[in-house]
Amino acid sequence: MDLLPTEEQLEIIGTVKAQLESDFSLNDLAERDGRDQVIDDTLWQRCAELGWFALGIPEEDGGVGYSLVEEALLFEEVGAHATPGPFLATILAAHVAADCGESELLGQILSGERRVALAEPEDGNQYRLTDHGGADLALAISGSRAAILDLAGVEITPELSLDPLVPLGTASIDSDPLCAVDDPSISLRASVLVAAELAGIARATAEQSTEYGKDREQFGRPVGSFQALKHRCADMAVRADAAVNLTRLAALSVVAGHDDAEFQSEAARVLATQAALENTTWNVQNHGGIGFTWEHTAHRYVTRAQFRARTAGTPRDHRAALLGASAT
Amino acid sequence: MNLDLTAEEQAFRDEASTWLAENLPTEERPPEGAEMRAFDLAWQRTLFDGGWAGINWPVEYGGRGLSDIQQMIWYEEFAKADPPFTLNNSCTFVGNNHGGPTLILKGSDEQKAEHLPKILKGEAVWCQGFSEPGAGSDLASLNTKAVVDGDELVVTGQKTWTSYAHVADLQELLVRTDSDAPKHKGISWVICDMRSPGIEVREIETMSHVTDFCEVFYDEVRIPLTNVVGEINDGWRVAMSTLSFERGTAFMADQVELAATVERLIAEARERTSADGRRPAIEDEDIAKRLSMARAEVTALRAMTIAGISRTARTGIPGPEGSMIRLFHGELHQRIYRLAMDIVGAEALRLTPVDGEGVWTGPYLQSFAYTIGGGTTDIQRNIVGERVLGLPRQ
Ligand SMILES: Cc1cc2nc3c(=O)[nH]c(=O)nc-3n(C[C@H](O)[C@H](O)[C@H](O)COP(=O)(O)OP(=O)(O)OC[C@H]3O[C@@H](n4cnc5c(N)ncnc54)[C@H](O)[C@@H]3O)c2cc1C
């Protein structure tokens, strides 16, 4: 039993980090605020070439052959960099396509050739879509049912998004899905990956506040020497540590097929949501006036956390699921 | 990263659960005095005979030389066995959890040979004489004086908040051996025989009615110099090791038990009626929300504990990250018992003992200690801020 990443996993984390820092700088991406396609095709295909979408797909299906654990490590970094893009829909859709034996579709998703938006069912055939720009497919999940929908000919009504790097729209989709599965492992995967992204957000904002506490001086000394700020940073670090470690534990228990996998995953989702919402809020406060500016990245984490808290289920849904899950 | 148990660990888990089913006492723990001491020591002896004392201590001192993971597995099996008492609620706590580990790390061969087996066999009760009336959070300002006289130290002063001093045989005692040196440099860590002439112990009643709290007075108490652990005047460093165990691993049993407590509380909330009298308590929105968070948080506590063990497996001694777990655990423990008060209805106003079956209000009162003992949460936050995150000192 060991909860620290192996050498190989540290290498994956390092590569992902380096790539996100060079290709997904939030300051550069800010130019694309409000577009319906934030990540252009070249960049998306580069992510595909790095194997990010295929991490947890078995080698015989054209994947890299790792597991949900490595996918969760990727998502932790995606969260930590507030990286935009349909990572969740893409990876879940790849698993759905693999489950359905749709190898051609799987290949197109893994290569980044076809893009997948996320479609959250609202009412009947009404969906809330995110990351629809450039996508001709959408992944819809509801409970243990997951389906890949065809967006061809679907009319999308764009909406002003809380997070300008997460394009938002609504649409009604009537056509039959291209493929669908009824498989609880998809919703477990979704819970763990969203938890990982939220844990990454909690971690990055704890780090951002701590760094600022060391750099920014007032009254002739670093503001992080003041106990009020120091204690807030300590609390943020504890929340992040709890969320990161629990998410890793949950990923491992899903992969090991333990009886408590659902319990662990829902616990991770509930805890990471709380950690991200708290930490992103305090992170603005800890930066003072600059934290309230558009230019600073603090608000990006606030709105991303609010989005992810409501991606693939609301906080309330997940709290109820956790209370109903079996602990053993 | 893996959750696998080795064949040996799995066998260990099975062995623990089988043994507990056959050997767990059914009677409740006497709450005070000589009876309590006798009960705690008898249980420690039973543990030793069964091979469950010093699971992660070296074999040469009577331990089993196994891993921290196995130690944790033992705590998990103990909590699962539905015990009539809490493992850490014992006068053997200090010896098992930080006195012994400090000696293993810093003691001389003679000190280890003399004391470690007795701790494991339930032949000696240890207490911790660190805090003083004028030195709590600022421990290094302690004032109890020790003067070298021949091959002895002569100790005069006062300690306070000394848990179990009234039933203890020995004490991990911090004294000032050099009053001229800077405050961290003039302290020594000594083994004090609590039966020495010149020691007076007075009990202090607590808000939870537990009577194991004491103050200890020293009037020219003579302690052989061979009882100094580490070097004379280097006691601060030894004390830091003691505290790293106290903050890092000592509460592992409590942390594991807390998860079982939340499950019991969920069962209570299904059976009891909500405050409006119209539905099961668990269907009350506020209760459901808090119970769900509590479940998430105790699960996270376990993940943090395993991560802590994974780190210690690489470094050998718990680092300052232990304070993150201690901080999280202390406040969570309090939140959970406060939640219990809102679930148990009219029973919230009936006082129970702190330990035993189906008790909630006693543990609720006792939970206030969890954010004070072993360093207050403010001090833990300072440690996390400065030693884990590297923020500048005030
Ligand atoms: C149940 C229990 C068992 C104990 N058992 C033992 C034992 O066996 N042996 C032993 O030696 N001690 C024991 N203690 C004592 C314990 O270690 C001290 O109570 C603790 O370290 C706090 O010291 P204090 O009581 O002097 O409080 P103080 O240090 O006076 O603190 C008062 C308040 O000021 C705050 N404060 C102090 N300094 C700072 C700072 N720098 N920054 C921010 N806030 C600050 C504190 O957080 C607290 O809220 C026990 C305590 C309890 C409650």
Side-chain angles (χ1 to χ4, degrees), chain A residues 227 231, chain B residues 94 98 127-139 159-164 171-172 206 212-213 246-247 366 368-379 382 394:
Chain A
Q227 208 168 49
H231 284 190
Chain B
V94 169
H98 50 83
C127 65
Q128 179 187 34
F130 280 22
S131 304
E132 297 180 3
S137 297
D138 184 11
L139 179 60
K159 295 288 169 180
T160 191
W161 319 135
T162 320
S163 304
Y164 298 112
Q171 183 179 47
E172 35 179 67
T206 68
D212 56 41
F213 228 31
E246 189 174 2
R247 291 164 183 168
Q366 187 65 20
F368 285 76
Y370 278 75
T371 49
I372 303 172
T376 69
T377 37
D378 293 319
I379 296 305
N382 284 348
Q394 196 152 18

Side-chain angles (χ1 to χ4, degrees), chain B residues 127-132 144-145 154-160 162 165 171-175 190 192-194 196-201 215-223:
Chain B
C127 65
Q128 179 187 34
F130 280 22
S131 304
E132 297 180 3
T144 294
K145 249 191 200 49
V154 183
V155 177
T156 301
Q158 184 194 343
K159 295 288 169 180
T160 191
T162 320
Q171 183 179 47
E172 35 179 67
L173 174 63
L174 289 184
V175 291
V190 296
C192 171
D193 182 341
M194 292 298 284
S196 311
I199 291 186
E200 188 194 340
V201 178
E215 50 189 343
V216 183
F217 298 86
Y218 308 78
D219 181 13
E220 302 200 345
V221 175
R222 303 190 80 87
I223 300 175

Side-chain angles (χ1 to χ4, degrees), chain A residues 23-73:
Chain A
D23 288 351
F24 288 87
S25 141
L26 278 176
N27 292 328
D28 298 346
L29 288 168
E31 286 170 23
R32 309 183 191 180
D33 276 346
R35 290 196 201 165
D36 75 354
Q37 182 177 347
V38 169
I39 307 301
D40 59 41
D41 292 340
T42 327
L43 188 48
W44 194 246
Q45 263 154 27
R46 196 170 320 145
C47 297
E49 282 156 23
L50 289 164
W52 289 359
F53 312 150
L55 277 181
I57 300 288
E59 277 173 299
E60 61 266 27
D61 293 330
V64 180
Y66 287 124
S67 72
L68 175 60
V69 173
E70 286 74 18
E71 288 179 347
L73 293 174

Side-chain angles (χ1 to χ4, degrees), chain A residues 1-4 6 9 214 225 227 230-231 235 237 245 249 252 263-264 270 316 319 322-323 325 327, chain B residues 1-5 285 289 292-293 295 299 303 307 310 314 324 378 381-382 386 389-390 392-393:
Chain A
M1 211 186 305
D2 188 281
L3 218 44
L4 300 187
T6 60
Q9 288 165 336
K214 291 176 187 173
S225 66
Q227 208 168 49
K230 182 181 293 171
H231 284 190
D235 286 337
N245 285 312
L249 186 69
L252 287 166
F263 173 84
Q264 299 284 349
V270 167
R316 194 196 163 85
R319 278 197 309 267
L322 172 57
L323 205 48
Chain B
M1 234 196 267
N2 71 85
L3 294 182
D4 308 336
L5 294 186
E285 290 250 325
K289 182 172 181 182
S292 180
M293 278 313 298
R295 242 189 170 182
T299 315
S310 311
R314 287 163 177 76
M324 297 175 80
D378 293 319
R381 285 188 171 89
N382 284 348
E386 287 161 17
L389 304 181
R393 303 179 75 88

Side-chain angles (χ1 to χ4, degrees), chain A residues 66-111:
Chain A
Y66 287 124
S67 72
L68 175 60
V69 173
E70 286 74 18
E71 288 179 347
L73 293 174
L74 167 72
F75 271 66
E76 196 181 312
E77 296 311 318
V78 163
H81 290 81
T83 312
F87 287 95
L88 182 72
T90 302
I91 285 177
L92 293 178
H95 285 281
V96 172
D99 278 5
C100 297
E102 294 279 351
S103 53
E104 193 183 338
L105 186 58
L106 173 61
Q108 291 163 336
I109 295 170
L110 294 184
S111 68

Side-chain angles (χ1 to χ4, degrees), chain B residues 108-128:
Chain B
S108 67
D109 290 343
E110 295 74 35
Q111 289 164 346
K112 291 190 228 184
E114 156 94 22
H115 295 293
L116 294 175
K118 286 188 188 157
I119 292 174
L120 293 185
K121 289 180 188 162
E123 291 168 3
V125 170
W126 280 64
C127 65
Q128 179 187 34

